[in-house]
Amino acid sequence: MRRWIMLALGTAAQTAACAFVYGVPYLADELRGQERLSLTQVGFLVACPTAGLVLALYLWGAAADRWGERVVIALGLGAAAGALGGAAWAAHGMTALGALLVLAGAAGASVYSASGRLVMGWFSAKERGLAMGIRQTSTPLGMGVAALAMPPLAAGHGLRGAFGFLAVICAVIAVLIALFAADPARTAAAAAGPAPNPYRGSRLLWRIHGSAALLVVPQFTAGAFALVLLVDVRGWSPTHAGQLIAVAQGMGAVSRILVGRWSDRVGSRLRPMRQLAVLTAAVVAATAIGTAWPSPVTPALLVAAIAITSSTNGLSFTSTAEHAGPAWSGRALGVHNTGQNLTAAVVPPVMAAVISATAYWPGFALAAALTCASALIVPVPRRTAEDDAGAGSGAARRTITA
């Protein structure tokens, strides 16, 4: 029972962090009206939490490896609550608000690096896929909380109400983590002394990071442009398009749980990841065709693309932590998160430029091609004892196929 409590706490912490990291876009109207900011300035503020996040991920991961998950998550969320409180009650002007959002993102990075490590440590290899799949639903959950709460709070109470709400959520969960979270027991090998660097002498982790970063491309292509595509190509209203996308995001969250359970049953994370990458490439390619020749099937293809492109996220995180070992998992997850968030920051403007210069279908075709490249990069061990890597074994790292 205790491990499920740790999973709930880790998922709640990640959900709170995702709510403010990805919640600023839902304040665009208020920022343009109350603060008199241009759309370009609003875009700058939207990027601020992610910028802080990327800068601090590895450092928080190293801190988690050294001092444990509970302290790191509680301190990080507490600091994020302070920065968001400053944004609510003390910030005046775009510069001050942007600086506080960068600080909040940097503090919230603690959760991205340590909450996965917390979950991994409390679950055995036979349950980690399911546990991490549940934990990874925190991204759509956080975005859903922000989408539902931020616009009405901003409309009724201004930016103070919206940022104050986020500050309170982070503060409450920080207290819960400090009071009830417990670091997983360290293995005898981890307690014996410094573990060898898993990045030396092996490209395995780098290939996992690279393949996962490439899989972000179809995910953010489908997620970022599905609404405008339905409006522009199929003539839907934004409200109806948003409702369909919400259903697709819910399906994506469920897919993470189901895929995690599948990986537990087959005793492998990377084989399902490669198989899903191939399936994702096929679905996204079909979506490209559906946008080139629009039909009533196009919305269904978009839903399938959004759902399937979310499915591999938990597998890549679980595999990273298992192959890095308990002594290095915090830093490895920090590197992994950094690559994914950098890719997520680059994809929307690059794809927007491609789509603006051509049409929607070349953007989706490019995403499908990069997904094929990801499938080729995924390293698959020759044997199914991947879980040995979770205990620090280097054997699985040395016996991989292309």
Side-chain angles (χ1 to χ4, degrees):
M1 174 60 73
R2 196 178 186 191
R3 68 190 188 281
W4 297 105
I5 295 175
M6 297 304 112
L7 174 58
L9 288 171
T11 303
Q14 185 75 24
T15 300
C18 289
F20 74 78
V21 169
Y22 304 120
V24 179
Y26 302 110
L27 298 175
D29 286 342
E30 191 68 22
L31 289 166
R32 295 174 70 180
Q34 179 179 323
E35 297 295 323
R36 302 179 185 275
L37 301 181
S38 68
L39 188 60
T40 300
Q41 290 172 317
V42 172
F44 171 79
L45 290 179
V46 168
C48 283
T50 303
L53 182 79
V54 170
L55 291 173
L57 280 167
Y58 183 82
L59 295 176
W60 278 117
D65 287 336
R66 181 164 185 176
W67 291 298
E69 297 84 354
R70 181 177 66 87
V71 171
V72 164
I73 297 174
L75 283 177
L77 271 185
L84 291 168
W89 288 286
H92 299 285
M94 191 189 76
T95 301
L97 184 57
L100 286 167
L101 289 176
V102 170
L103 289 175
S110 65
V111 182
Y112 284 73
S113 292
S115 65
R117 194 179 189 279
L118 177 70
V119 172
M120 288 288 298
W122 275 99
F123 284 82
S124 68
K126 294 182 179 180
E127 296 178 313
R128 284 179 193 150
L130 173 62
M132 285 295 284
I134 293 172
R135 183 258 187 186
Q136 291 305 113
T137 63
S138 55
T139 299
L141 284 175
M143 295 175 72
V145 168
L148 291 173
M150 301 283 271
L153 283 171
H157 305 281
L159 295 178
R160 176 174 296 181
F163 285 121
F165 167 74
L166 294 174
V168 169
I169 286 181
C170 289
V172 168
I173 296 180
V175 171
L176 292 176
I177 292 289
L179 292 177
F180 300 111
D183 295 340
R186 299 181 69 193
T187 64
N197 186 337
Y199 289 96
R200 291 178 181 169
S202 173
R203 295 179 297 171
L204 178 60
L205 282 172
W206 290 117
R207 290 176 64 179
I208 296 173
H209 300 331
S211 59
L214 287 174
L215 286 171
V216 169
V217 177
Q219 182 181 354
F220 274 74
T221 300
F225 297 102
L227 188 144
V228 292
L229 191 155
L230 288 171
V231 172
D232 293 346
V233 174
R234 297 299 298 160
W236 286 35
S237 71
T239 298
H240 289 155
Q243 290 171 347
L244 182 68
I245 292 169
V247 171
Q249 292 285 5
M251 293 173 62
V254 172
S255 75
R256 295 184 179 194
I257 298 174
L258 296 178
V259 166
R261 181 56 181 156
W262 172 32
S263 74
D264 289 334
R265 292 178 67 87
V266 301
S268 174
R269 318 297 176 200
L270 296 175
R271 282 188 179 82
M273 185 173 167
R274 175 178 281 185
Q275 293 165 5
L276 286 168
V278 173
L279 178 60
T280 297
V283 171
V284 175
T287 305
I289 296 172
T291 59
W293 291 279
S295 72
V297 178
T298 301
L301 289 171
L302 283 171
V303 169
I306 291 172
I308 194 67
T309 55
S310 298
S311 62
T312 59
N313 195 268
L315 295 179
S316 65
F317 274 84
T318 306
S319 185
T320 293
E322 286 181 338
H323 285 89
W328 271 83
S329 59
R331 281 163 285 186
L333 288 172
V335 173
H336 194 78
N337 263 306
T338 299
Q340 288 198 311
N341 280 280
L342 283 174
T343 307
V346 169
V347 168
V350 170
M351 285 299 181
V354 171
I355 291 169
S356 297
T358 55
Y360 284 101
W361 73 263
F364 281 86
L366 175 59
L370 291 174
T371 308
C372 290
S374 172
L376 294 175
I377 294 173
V378 177
V380 178
R382 293 193 182 103
R383 59 195 181 89
T384 59
E386 274 186 79
D387 294 313
D388 291 345
S393 170
R397 290 195 292 271
R398 291 191 298 268
T399 56
I400 60 173
T401 60

